[in-house]
Structures are given as C-alpha cells and as structure tokens.
Amino acid sequence: MATSQEKATLSPTASGNPISSKTSAAAMATVIHPVLDPLSDSPPSATTKTTAATPVMARAQTCHPLDPLMAAEIAVAVSTVRAAGKTPEVRDSMRFIEVVLVEPDKNVVALADAYFFPPFQPSLLPKTKGRPVIPTKLPPRQARLVVYNKRSNETSIWTVELNEVHAATRGGHHRGKVISSKVVPDVQPPMDAEEYAECEAVVKDFPPFREAMRKRGIVDMDLVMVDPWCVGYHSNADAPSRRLAKPLIFCRTESDCPVENGYARPVEGIHVLVDMQNMVVIEFEDRKLVPLPPADPLRNYTAGETRGGVDRSDVKPLQIIQPEGPSFRVNGHFVNWQKWNFRIGFTPREGLVIYSVAYLDGSRGRRPVAHRLSFVEMVVPYGDPNDPHYRKNAFDAGEDGLGKNAHSLKKGCDCLGYIKYFDAHFTNFTGGVETIENCVCLHEEDHGILWKHQDWRTGLAEVRRSRRLTDGKIEAEVKLTGVLSLGALQPGEVRKYGTMIAPGLYAPVHQHFFVARMDMAVDCKPGEAFNQVVEMNVKVEDPGKDNVHNNAFYPEEELLRTELQAMRDCNPLSARHWIIRNTRTVNRTGQLTGYKLVPGSNCLPLAGSEAKFLRRAAFLKHNLWVTAYSRDEMYPGGEFPNQNPRSGEGLATWVKQNRPIEETDIVLWYVFGVTHIPRLEDWPVMPVERIGFMLMPHGFFNCSPAVDVPPSTGDCELKDAVIATKPIQNSLIPKL
C-alpha cells in the first residue's frame, strides 16, 4: 500500500485554464466509475464510426501518439488479451495490473507534431533535398498490458495493436491484435485495491485472529482495519514464488464520528502472513499482548462540528479570480502558455507525465527542453528496528501505483482560480475500465514579485509580478501530508526510534525518497543528441597574489563523460549543481545554451550499507545518476520491485555498462528526499512539508530584459506578465 497512511502530493500535477467544465448533477454523481460504453471522449465525426451495439475505434491519427489511452482503447486491449487466452480457465484467471500506452519512438512523435497535429511544426524535422515525404497516416497506437494469472501465479506482458476492427464478444472479431506476449519469471506485479479489500475480509474471518482481538477487548470486527502491506524482500521466505502480504492491524473506537481516524489505535503483537494468490492466511502468531492505546481525543481531523466543536472563524475568505480568463490554451492534451508548449500524460504507475516541453523563440523556431518528465518511484524506509516497523519499506510506485492512488479533485480541489481539469482512465483488477474524473488540474498562479529595482537618483521604480503555470513549470515540488503510521507502546515503554505523540502512541522516524526521471533534449531536435552534463562546484581561492583580500571564490566545472562518473551527490558546501548543455548551440555571449538542475534540501538513506531495503533500492545511494537513453530503462528499481530478490536490479545495474554520456541522448535521474522526525504538531494529520528541485535556464535565452523577455526560470515565471498575460486578482471577501 502507499507508504503507511502518510501520502505525498506531487505538485507537478495541476495547472491551467478551464476550457470546459462539467457542472451537471450527473457529472457530480460519481467520482470513480466504471465506463459502461467505451466510446471516444469526442463526439462521432467523419473519422469515428459507431453501430447500435459495437463501438468502433477511430483512425490512428485521431489521437496524438502521446495522448493517454482512452477508455475505449483500454477496453479493446483488455478484451483482445482475454480472448487470446487458450482455455476458459486461463481467461477467467486473468487479472489486469496495468494497461498503458506504448510510447512511440521519438521520430514518430516529431512526425506527428510536424504534419498531423496543430500547431503543425515542420521545422521539427531535419531539412531534406526536395519536398519531404509525408506518410498518409501514423502507425497504429499500441497498448502494453501487465497481466497476472491468479491460477498459475504467473506474470505476463502483452502488446496489443489498436485497430479499426469490430469486436464485442470473445467469439467475434476483435478491434485489437496481439503483437507479442511473454511470461516474466520470478516476479510479482503490484498489488491492487481489490486484493487489499479481499485480504482484509479473509483476515477478519480467520478464527485465531478473532480470538486474538477478543483478548484485546474487541469483538466487533467492523471496528477492525486490516491494511495489507507488500512483504518486500528480506530473505528467501519472501521469494516471488508466492504472492505475499503482511498486514498491519488497527482498530477504531465505538465513536459516532463519521470519519474516525482508526490509525490512532495500532494493534501490536499480531503476526499475519497472507497468501494473496489463494487468499488464505498461511502464518499466524499472537506474539505479544500489547494493550490498545486509549482513545486520543485529538485523533480526528474532520470538521469541527463532527467532533462536538466548531471550526475557527477568524480567517476571512480569500478569493482568486481571473476576470479575463486564463492566459493558456488547451487542445486535447496539448497546452500552450505564453511561448511555452507541452503535452500532458498520465499513467497508473507514475501519475502525471509531461511530454515535449519546448519554447517558441521567434525566428529560431521551436526550441526543445525535455522530451519526457515524470516521477518514477517513491520509497519510504522506516528507522525502527522493531517488528513490524522494520518491514515498512514501501515502493509506492512499483508496489502500488502513484497514478492509481490519485484522487478526484471533485471531492475537494487543491487548486484555486481558473482551472482546467483532465480525467484519467485505467483498468481495474478484473479488466473493467474506471475513470478518475478531474484527476489533474491546470491553472495559473500569481507568485509574488519576480523582480524590482528602484533608481536612487531618479526615485523611479520598475517591478514585475511573477506568474507561473502550476505543473507546466519545470520546478518539481512534492508536498508531504497525511496521517502518520503509528506504533503502540507498553505502559511506561519509551523508544528512541520515534516520537511519543499521545499516551500509548508513538510515530517511528522514517524517510521519504522520490525519483524524478528527466529525458532531456536541450536545444535538440528529433534525431539530434548534442547534450552533455557538467557539474559545477564553487571553489575558494587560495591565499596569494590572486587573492590578497582573502575573499575570492569562483565556479569550477567538471564534464561528466561516463555513467559511472555521473553517480553524484548534493553538496551545499560547494553550491553544487549540474548543467545540461547543448554542445552545438550558443547564446549571444558565445556560451553554450543549457538548463541547470538546482537541488533543494536533500538527504541520503540513513541506513547501513547492508540494509535489506537497499537491496531493492540501490538507486537511493546517490542523488544524481545520468544514463544514455534506452527505451526499456524506465524504473530505477526495475519494473517489478515487489518481492524482488535480485540485488541491484535497475539503475544501479544499468550504469555498470559505463556508457558514454557526452553528446548523447541522455536521461537524468534525480533522487531527493526528506528525513521525517515526527513532531506532536504532526498529529492527527501532518501539515504540508515541501521538498523538490528546479530546472532553470542557464544561458538558454538571448533576449534583452527590456523586450519580450521569456520566463527567467524553469518554473515558467514571466517577466512581462503585466503586458503578456491576463490579470489575476486576489480579493479578500469580507464574511457577511
């Protein structure tokens, strides 16, 4: 499950201008719902045919090659794979972990952007003699499916081509075609919410468990909460030959609070191991009788009136309005804002994906910055060596799915102002298609003063406001908030590995790590590979004739030439940062154009070198990794970290090839984290703590500050916001 109950909100997930919004009661009726009729999101047209009984896929080029799979495409992919099962037993035992777009080669994306989709940018493609040869259509889209066979305990990967062919039933013609399939041995795919619910029911019905709870004074199983956790890999007993979970147990009180915080009463001392394939308890032991913590009066975090009190009334409403609408435009998943443009994607594992970030620079045309940006893993190791806390080492992306755990913003939007929403579609465990409505929001923010200067001679001042497009920025911000994963204490017991936050309750120390994968393309058109990475450190000049005042310091750069050389760590003492440069493009001063990665606060794992969780998370040992691009290298811990016994699989293994990374198509992997020593103020729900990093232009722009200045930082702050954008007004509305 997601690391304990504490969640992280990935701030590159929202921004924008609402071109349309659903306001009907029907639209508000459900948030996550099955898609009963897998039709295209757009109405039928000349390129979309329908029949009374069977929807038909549109032509391949009606969707951009990078658009997330539509609900119809997911349904087609699932039905195609299920129909390919050799026997009814095989088909019935198929469980669908993930259905995602097979992202095409970069040259196909360039072709689509050049000739098939607005704003039509033929300059993306290299010039050729005579007229360019333009194909009549793009290659068909493909879906990649991860399928778990519940009967055989096997995991397989399928590729399905999505075609305009009729298909409705297993016995008929299908709209998809299986391109490939293979069984992946000795792995376990991520767990699913349906498995979690079934596991909880199995444990609560297990007679020895009910007896153990009775000894603790609990006979009403409706009060009991069973949270299945992946077992990780600590010994051969956790090998992937079995699909295993070790649940954590909690218990609510008989409160009339509609949303009681049951995590305030952890049940200690009960060991449970569940076979998730067959849904049976295979190990059970009541090891130690620890009294349930008393009901903490501060445990709940719902509105005041639900807890016998009132909410504070001394904060007046703050309203954000844009009377002329937003300054960005959205066409499908393509976003234009000022001279910036990019595409929005979404996967069940990563959540938000940002593609094709570029800047339109007058006569220089479209200048790429990055091909693909996303968060590919989140790991939360706990620092308490006691059972069960030493096993809390969740891989929230690889064991569960960041995207699958996204929530609908219809239930309470995190954003203010004029908002454009995007839905997300994915498969459930049994192959049905579900939709998270309003999963991603796009909006602009006023971000205070960008710059200001006053001339002391004339008394005249110039000032510009900062405007940023949340999630269109190249500033990655993670907001950590949620409910702590707690332990129970014996009367009089004290543990040094955490903080006592209420009588009988303590919160273990832990760390949160995130991995950002950045497929860079600074000033590189498709087919070009002219990027390099330089490390910058500030050096103090030695005393002497060049430093007679002992005040001199200077930046010193080192070119990172190979993958092993590029395993680097942050160093605030030398203001260390890294620059991704284009070796063939210069700015007006003759310097190479580039973007620099500026670290924020960061840390490394506070664990011994032989810590068991590092076996699967060797990528946490360094803050920066740089690899030569390979389309199969997507996840730093490998594709299947759940119960993975293979030491160092993933990023730490790939770099042993020590490939050259100078003038290469490169990928940066930035690992950043925070060490969380809980406070009393983190209970019952932790206030937001922010960590992140920034990609900033470094000699990328040539413009003078006086005219048409582009964003000065990677978070898309504007210098000429007063002229170039529509106003945002912050109004304090008095409460009547």
Side-chain angles (χ1 to χ4, degrees):
M1 289 187 77
T3 54
S4 72
Q5 294 76 44
E6 192 171 344
K7 307 293 183 185
T9 300
L10 306 183
S11 175
T13 48
S15 350
N17 129 3
I19 298 306
S20 62
S21 62
K22 302 176 182 176
T23 56
S24 66
M28 297 294 291
T30 56
V31 171
I32 300 181
H33 61 82
V35 178
L36 302 177
D37 186 5
L39 286 171
S40 168
D41 294 327
S42 51
S45 66
T47 58
T48 306
K49 311 172 201 169
T50 59
T51 66
T54 305
V56 180
M57 293 294 298
R59 288 185 300 160
Q61 56 262 50
T62 58
C63 289
H64 188 277
L66 292 178
D67 283 352
L69 292 178
M70 299 183 299
E73 293 175 306
I74 295 173
V76 166
V78 168
S79 63
T80 301
V81 169
R82 181 173 277 137
K86 295 181 179 179
T87 66
E89 291 75 21
V90 169
R91 292 191 288 267
D92 292 342
S93 62
M94 285 182 172
R95 299 295 181 266
F96 294 86
I97 305 297
E98 181 181 272
V99 182
V100 296
L101 175 73
V102 175
E103 296 177 12
D105 291 337
K106 296 178 181 180
N107 64 317
V108 174
V109 175
L111 183 67
D113 290 338
Y115 296 113
F116 287 85
F117 293 90
F120 303 111
Q121 304 166 75
S123 62
L124 286 174
L125 299 180
K127 295 181 179 179
T128 58
K129 293 182 180 180
R131 293 177 127 189
V133 178
I134 306 173
T136 58
K137 64 179 182 179
L138 296 170
R141 279 156 62 89
Q142 295 182 347
R144 184 179 189 271
L145 299 88
V146 177
V147 180
Y148 174 68
N149 189 300
K150 194 169 176 64
R151 179 181 294 269
S152 65
N153 194 36
E154 289 182 333
T155 300
S156 57
I157 297 175
W158 300 68
T159 302
V160 172
E161 185 177 280
L162 303 168
N163 295 311
E164 187 182 8
V165 184
H166 285 275
T169 62
R170 184 176 297 146
H173 299 287
H174 292 275
R175 298 167 293 179
K177 180 173 70 174
V178 174
I179 302 299
S180 66
S181 66
K182 64 176 181 180
V183 173
V184 185
D186 301 322
V187 299
Q188 284 294 337
M191 294 287 186
D192 186 86
E194 184 175 310
E195 292 180 288
Y196 294 151
E198 193 173 351
C199 176
E200 179 175 53
V202 166
V203 171
K204 289 165 71 169
D205 283 343
F206 190 60
F209 176 78
R210 298 173 74 95
E211 174 61 21
M213 293 304 297
R214 189 191 63 76
K215 291 179 180 178
R216 291 160 173 79
I218 303 299
V219 294
D220 184 358
M221 288 295 108
D222 288 340
L223 299 176
V224 178
M225 300 161 50
V226 179
D227 282 12
W229 278 56
C230 296
V231 297
Y233 188 86
H234 295 263
S235 68
N236 289 337
D238 301 326
S241 56
R242 300 182 297 173
R243 188 166 175 80
L244 302 175
K246 285 194 173 181
L248 299 179
I249 314 298
F250 303 88
C251 186
R252 293 187 292 268
T253 65
E254 303 206 24
S255 166
D256 58 359
C257 178
V259 188
E260 185 186 356
N261 181 9
Y263 296 111
R265 299 181 82 202
V267 179
E268 294 270 352
I270 297 179
H271 165 81
V272 186
L273 182 66
V274 179
D275 178 340
M276 300 291 280
Q277 176 193 0
N278 301 300
M279 280 301 164
V280 293
V281 176
I282 55 177
E283 290 183 15
F284 180 87
E285 184 180 357
D286 190 356
R287 294 175 173 173
K288 181 172 61 174
L289 184 60
V290 179
L292 287 174
D296 181 10
L298 301 180
R299 67 189 180 281
N300 294 325
Y301 49 84
T302 50
E305 60 268 18
T306 67
R307 294 179 280 126
V310 295
D311 290 328
R312 55 187 297 178
S313 59
D314 56 344
V315 178
K316 305 304 181 189
L318 174 63
Q319 194 172 84
I320 311 297
I321 60 174
Q322 291 181 268
E324 298 179 27
S327 301
F328 61 84
R329 291 293 177 266
V330 177
N331 183 1
H333 290 84
F334 183 73
V335 179
N336 266 304
W337 183 73
Q338 296 294 289
K339 297 182 179 182
W340 291 95
N341 56 61
F342 56 92
R343 290 190 175 275
I344 286 179
F346 193 90
T347 74
R349 182 164 181 161
E350 301 159 280
L352 179 72
V353 180
I354 298 178
Y355 299 104
S356 305
V357 181
Y359 179 75
L360 299 179
D361 195 2
S363 61
R364 299 186 66 175
R366 183 180 185 273
R367 300 178 62 194
V369 174
H371 177 71
R372 191 183 194 277
L373 306 171
S374 70
F375 288 105
V376 288
E377 193 53 271
M378 172 182 172
V379 182
V380 185
Y382 278 68
D384 186 341
N386 295 287
D387 189 38
H389 308 290
Y390 76 93
R391 281 188 169 270
K392 294 180 182 177
N393 303 298
F395 285 60
D396 281 283
E399 291 180 342
D400 201 27
L402 298 176
K404 276 193 170 183
N405 281 285
H407 65 274
S408 171
L409 297 173
K410 291 176 71 172
K411 286 188 172 180
C413 188
D414 308 78
C415 315
L416 298 173
Y418 206 83
I419 300 168
K420 163 66 179 176
Y421 291 102
F422 298 85
D423 295 344
H425 309 291
F426 56 91
T427 180
N428 59 27
F429 202 42
T430 54
V433 183
E434 294 186 351
T435 297
I436 304 178
E437 296 180 343
N438 294 7
C439 184
V440 175
C441 73
L442 180 75
H443 69 101
E444 291 176 292
E445 290 181 347
D446 180 275
H447 198 229
I449 294 176
L450 176 64
W451 60 263
K452 181 178 181 179
H453 177 70
Q454 179 173 335
D455 189 317
W456 66 272
R457 290 182 175 86
T458 65
L460 297 177
E462 284 288 331
V463 63
R464 298 291 187 273
R465 301 290 298 179
S466 168
R467 177 81 63 89
R468 65 181 182 182
L469 184 66
T470 306
D471 283 6
K473 60 187 177 180
I474 314 180
E475 176 184 351
E477 181 182 73
V478 175
K479 299 176 182 178
L480 298 104
T481 183
V483 178
L484 298 166
S485 180
L486 305 178
L489 297 174
Q490 295 271 22
E493 181 184 6
V494 176
R495 289 190 190 173
K496 65 179 181 180
Y497 306 107
T499 303
M500 181 181 288
I501 52 131
L505 277 178
Y506 93 109
V509 294
H510 57 279
Q511 295 182 290
H512 294 263
F513 290 100
F514 302 86
V515 184
R517 181 183 182 274
M518 296 170 280
D519 183 353
M520 301 301 295
V522 177
D523 267 331
C524 288
K525 292 185 177 180
E528 296 180 345
F530 300 141
N531 281 180
Q532 63 178 197
V533 179
V534 173
E535 179 174 285
M536 301 290 287
N537 288 281
V538 174
K539 300 288 185 180
V540 176
E541 185 71 81
D542 293 332
K545 63 178 182 178
D546 294 329
N547 188 19
V548 294
H549 302 292
N550 286 327
N551 69 316
F553 58 91
Y554 59 95
E556 182 177 82
E557 68 177 53
E558 177 186 1
L559 175 62
L560 305 180
R561 298 180 182 275
T562 66
E563 291 177 322
L564 290 178
Q565 185 188 0
M567 297 161 53
R568 309 298 298 165
D569 296 325
C570 296
N571 184 1
L573 298 180
S574 66
R576 180 173 293 169
H577 58 274
W578 298 276
I579 303 172
I580 305 99
R581 285 178 175 163
N582 186 294
T583 59
R584 306 295 178 89
T585 308
V586 297
N587 55 32
R588 63 178 178 171
T589 66
Q591 299 172 339
L592 298 177
T593 61
Y595 259 73
K596 72 174 180 179
L597 193 164
V598 182
S601 61
N602 210 334
C603 63
L604 289 170
L606 296 173
S609 59
E610 300 302 315
K612 296 294 175 59
F613 77 90
L614 288 177
R615 182 187 184 99
R616 299 188 296 150
F619 53 88
L620 297 183
K621 294 180 180 179
H622 295 286
N623 296 127
L624 180 75
W625 308 70
V626 184
T627 59
Y629 171 80
S630 173
R631 65 176 296 133
D632 296 326
E633 296 178 0
M634 284 295 299
Y635 307 111
E639 181 162 15
F640 300 105
N642 186 16
Q643 296 179 235
N644 184 2
R646 295 172 292 282
S647 178
E649 184 171 287
L651 188 52
T653 299
W654 302 332
V655 298
K656 291 179 181 178
Q657 302 170 76
N658 204 23
R659 295 166 289 193
I661 55 173
E662 186 179 6
E663 288 207 327
T664 307
D665 189 355
I666 57 173
V667 177
L668 274 70
W669 310 74
Y670 183 64
V671 181
F672 61 105
V674 62
T675 301
H676 190 189
I677 301 174
R679 311 167 300 154
L680 267 65
E681 291 81 1
D682 292 336
W683 181 250
V685 62
M686 189 181 91
V688 165
E689 183 171 351
R690 294 172 171 86
I691 59 173
F693 65 93
M694 185 183 294
L695 281 170
M696 300 177 63
H698 190 273
F700 187 77
F701 294 117
N702 294 322
C703 301
S704 162
V707 291
D708 194 23
V709 178
S712 65
T713 66
D715 69 355
C716 295
E717 296 175 344
L718 299 179
K719 294 210 173 177
D720 273 354
V722 173
I723 298 172
T725 66
K726 300 174 183 178
I728 293 178
Q729 298 175 3
N730 296 349
S731 303
L732 286 169
I733 309 299
K735 190 172 183 179
L736 300 178

